[in-house]
Amino acid sequence: MNDGSPENVLFIVLDTVRKDRLGPYGYGRDTTPNLSAFAEEATVFESAIAPAPWTLPVHASMFTGLYPSQHGADQESPYLEGAQTLATTLSNAGYDTAAYSSNAWITPYTNLTEGFDDGDTFFEVMPGDYLSGPLSRIWKAMNDSERLRDLASGAVQFGAKIHEYLASGDGADTKTPSVIDNTTEFVAGSDAEEGWFAFINLMDAHLPYYPPEEYRQRFAPDADPDAVTQNSKTYNSGAREIDDAEWADIRALYDAEIAHMDAQLGRLFDWLKQTGRWENTTVIVCADHGELHGEHDLYGHEFSLYDELINVPLMVKHPALDRERRDETVELLDLYHTVLHATDVVPTNAPTTGVDDGRVVEFDRTRSLFEDTYRQFDDVDTPDPGQRANGDADRDYAFAEYAQPVIELHHLEEKAADAGIAIPDDHRARARLRTARSHAGKFIRADRIPDEGFDLREDPDESRPLDTTDDAVAAAERVLSTFESATGGAWTEAVDGRADALDDADEKLQQRLSDLGYME
């Protein structure tokens, strides 16, 4: 960009935050005064679509500019390989880079922290006697071995243990203040001539909801965190019902968590202003996905691609953008190109990358939010799957994917079994899902449950499914078919979500996995 572009980039992910629970998007409770003030300085995007409904594939897409089916980071292969990360590219170009988060998926073991020179992640803040590097490394080693690859699909206790820990009071203390402290320390110490790139992921709004007492008293005074359902699988499995009063308490606790996160963001923003760094910093604020609180009879962010999960908040402060609201379709993977544009960095292969055979995704002006030609894909020489699918469409479509949810399914089955419930083969927890979404129509294709279509103009809550006799749904289905043809074909045949390879492992390997927590 021109010389007036800020040198620095602050990239903030509000993990698990719904768009409709924020002041900038019209929420009635005053939970986010700092984000509301920030929105007055930024462009607020109304139709930003996440490429998946959970952390790992979404961050991998934002860090590479690739769709989940292209980069392959999902629950069956839970780490990013074969693509150079945004942080690696910026570090190679001379930027100071850092990532701070307490999210279990943003770690060196998933390769999402590749290229960050500094950072503090989940494995540094988890209790040392609970989880350690060897347990994570064997997960990766199992995927690396062809003989053991099925093992990695079946040995999902690792992921289940993380979920169980996060769904308990023991794992609930917020790390957000330390994330903010670490970020200011990094920025204050940065002396790179090119500038700095700081990425933070704030986990307050992720289950379980144990907000600091000050915020619980303000926003959820009648809610007892220990009395409400804090594990989504107990509800989604049918093991426990949640009545309207409990849903109200859950939503109030969620609000309190968001309010605490907003206060901490305000502290960071104020510090940047007080130290004279605010004007020289591009600021991106988004969520990686949302959360369901009973809508569609679901809890959490699993087993679906409804808009509560994939239509996420996005606000960007940069001189090239007006202070306004924009309603055109945006995909979160476009942020990869937007950051490259903001920093004027041309991606080149970094010789120090630890990601094998790292593919370098070139900068694409049609995917930068700063370009007048944003999402005008007609003249792209080598279109990606989304660009190809949009080629003949009469509207702009975004795409989201949900691959085999092996860890979520394992945990769901455990909760169901405890309650004497069997999860049937046609349960949505076993389904793979893909969607094409425009402002008009949305089509969700699934392999074990019925496909769903919606006319979002008439049914924004997605409460009245339609088939392809509806024009908007039919158009979305055609576009999705083109996308699928560019990503290996449609997911229409059911696949086995669980492998029995553990039963075939030799005694020594079974003992090693038992020692590491994989097997009981």
Side-chain angles (χ1 to χ4, degrees):
M1 300 194 74
N2 59 42
D3 292 338
S5 183
E7 294 179 351
N8 311 307
V9 177
L10 174 62
F11 195 144
I12 301 167
V13 171
L14 314 176
D15 206 289
T16 324
V17 169
R18 289 171 59 133
K19 185 177 76 172
D20 62 359
R21 305 305 278 272
L22 302 179
Y25 291 93
Y27 191 43
R29 303 188 80 187
D30 189 25
T31 53
T32 56
N34 293 291
L35 283 174
S36 293
F38 172 73
E40 295 297 321
E41 301 183 55
T43 298
V44 179
F45 294 91
E46 300 277 5
S47 300
I49 306 302
W54 67 289
T55 294
L56 175 63
V58 175
H59 283 73
S61 289
M62 292 191 296
F63 289 174
T64 65
L66 300 171
Y67 288 99
S69 54
Q70 292 179 286
H71 60 62
D74 59 32
Q75 291 192 13
E76 289 188 289
S77 183
Y79 50 90
L80 175 66
E81 284 198 317
Q84 182 168 294
T85 66
L86 177 62
T88 297
T89 294
L90 294 177
S91 179
N92 191 47
Y95 276 76
D96 284 340
T97 59
Y100 302 104
S101 171
S102 57
N103 190 304
W105 296 105
I106 304 173
T107 74
Y109 310 109
T110 60
N111 287 334
L112 288 185
T113 57
E114 188 74 30
F116 288 107
D117 305 319
D118 191 28
D120 186 10
T121 61
F122 177 84
F123 287 96
E124 281 73 48
V125 299
M126 283 287 287
D129 58 351
Y130 174 76
L131 192 61
S132 60
L135 179 55
S136 301
R137 286 194 292 273
I138 197 167
W139 185 14
K140 184 177 187 301
M142 285 161 51
N143 275 275
D144 287 341
S145 166
E146 182 176 352
R147 171 176 171 268
L148 299 177
R149 190 169 183 83
D150 283 343
L151 249 175
S153 296
V156 295
Q157 275 89 348
F158 171 77
K161 283 177 178 289
I162 290 176
H163 281 256
E164 193 71 44
Y165 182 83
L166 289 174
S168 71
D170 293 336
D173 56 316
T174 180
K175 303 299 187 297
T176 294
S178 63
V179 168
I180 301 301
D181 291 342
N182 288 337
T183 303
T184 57
E185 182 178 349
F186 160 74
V187 170
S190 174
D191 58 3
E193 183 176 342
E194 295 296 331
W196 50 263
F197 172 61
F199 169 82
I200 63 175
N201 174 293
L202 305 180
M203 284 284 287
D204 301 67
H206 195 290
L207 282 167
Y209 307 142
Y210 283 87
E213 185 65 15
E214 172 189 352
Y215 296 91
R216 189 188 69 80
Q217 288 295 336
R218 285 177 58 193
F219 294 98
D222 299 323
D224 180 357
D226 291 321
V228 302
T229 303
Q230 292 277 17
N231 190 309
S232 60
K233 311 303 183 298
T234 60
Y235 176 79
N236 292 334
S237 67
R240 176 169 172 171
E241 294 294 324
I242 299 178
D243 61 24
D244 290 345
E246 186 176 354
W247 279 126
D249 285 346
I250 288 170
R251 293 168 186 142
L253 291 167
Y254 182 75
D255 283 349
E257 293 279 24
I258 290 174
H260 173 251
M261 180 170 53
D262 179 82
Q264 293 298 311
L265 278 179
R267 185 162 68 89
L268 174 59
F269 293 166
D270 287 345
W271 182 84
L272 289 170
K273 293 172 184 176
Q274 292 164 6
T275 58
R277 294 178 170 91
W278 184 251
E279 297 301 326
N280 199 28
T281 303
T282 298
V283 182
I284 299 171
V285 179
C286 69
D288 54 348
H289 56 78
E291 188 83 334
L292 290 164
H293 290 143
E295 301 88 354
H296 314 288
D297 294 322
L298 289 168
Y299 187 15
H301 49 272
E302 60 230 23
F303 315 138
S304 74
L305 291 174
Y306 296 117
D307 264 18
E308 290 91 347
L309 300 187
I310 65 169
N311 187 2
V312 297
L314 171 64
M315 294 168 276
V316 182
K317 180 187 79 71
H318 187 277
L321 296 175
D322 294 331
R323 300 179 181 186
E324 63 178 356
R325 307 185 80 87
R326 287 169 51 176
D327 194 40
E328 76 264 41
T329 295
V330 173
E331 294 184 281
L332 288 191
L333 60 86
D334 297 340
L335 296 177
Y336 169 85
H337 301 279
T338 300
V339 173
L340 290 176
H341 200 178
T343 56
D344 202 24
V345 169
V346 177
T348 57
N349 190 275
T352 58
T353 180
V355 181
D356 296 336
D357 301 320
R359 169 185 176 185
V360 180
V361 178
E362 296 181 358
F363 169 61
D364 184 342
R365 290 187 177 275
T366 69
R367 285 195 174 276
S368 169
L369 293 172
F370 305 138
E371 273 292 331
D372 293 336
T373 57
Y374 178 59
R375 295 188 71 83
Q376 296 179 20
F377 299 144
D378 292 343
D379 297 325
V380 175
D381 292 334
T382 308
D384 63 38
Q387 292 169 328
R388 182 175 291 114
N390 272 296
D392 297 324
D394 59 353
R395 296 177 180 273
D396 194 8
Y397 286 83
F399 305 90
E401 307 177 275
Y402 189 45
Q404 197 73 39
V406 291
I407 292 175
E408 309 289 357
L409 174 59
H410 172 82
H411 201 30
L412 188 84
E413 288 176 324
E414 285 191 328
K415 295 301 181 184
D418 290 344
I421 298 170
I423 301 298
D425 288 342
D426 61 352
H427 193 282
R428 68 168 44 250
R430 303 185 188 279
R432 296 176 294 171
L433 309 170
R434 275 199 181 113
T435 187
R437 180 200 185 276
S438 73
H439 286 84
K442 181 176 180 179
F443 182 78
I444 304 171
R445 197 184 319 276
D447 62 359
R448 287 180 180 265
I449 58 176
D451 299 337
E452 292 182 295
F454 303 96
D455 185 331
L456 298 179
R457 298 164 299 187
E458 301 295 327
D459 181 24
D461 295 331
E462 299 170 292
S463 60
R464 301 188 299 275
L466 302 170
D467 60 27
T468 52
T469 58
D470 177 85
D471 289 344
V473 172
E477 193 278 334
R478 288 192 298 271
V479 171
L480 180 60
S481 293
T482 304
F483 179 86
E484 291 166 328
S485 70
T487 54
W491 291 337
T492 54
E493 298 296 325
V495 298
D496 185 6
R498 296 293 308 279
D500 295 324
L502 280 175
D503 295 335
D504 298 327
D506 60 42
E507 183 177 351
K508 182 177 180 180
L509 178 57
Q510 288 196 28
Q511 182 59 50
R512 177 74 186 279
L513 294 174
S514 177
D515 292 342
L516 291 170
Y518 268 105
M519 300 179 65
E520 295 181 356

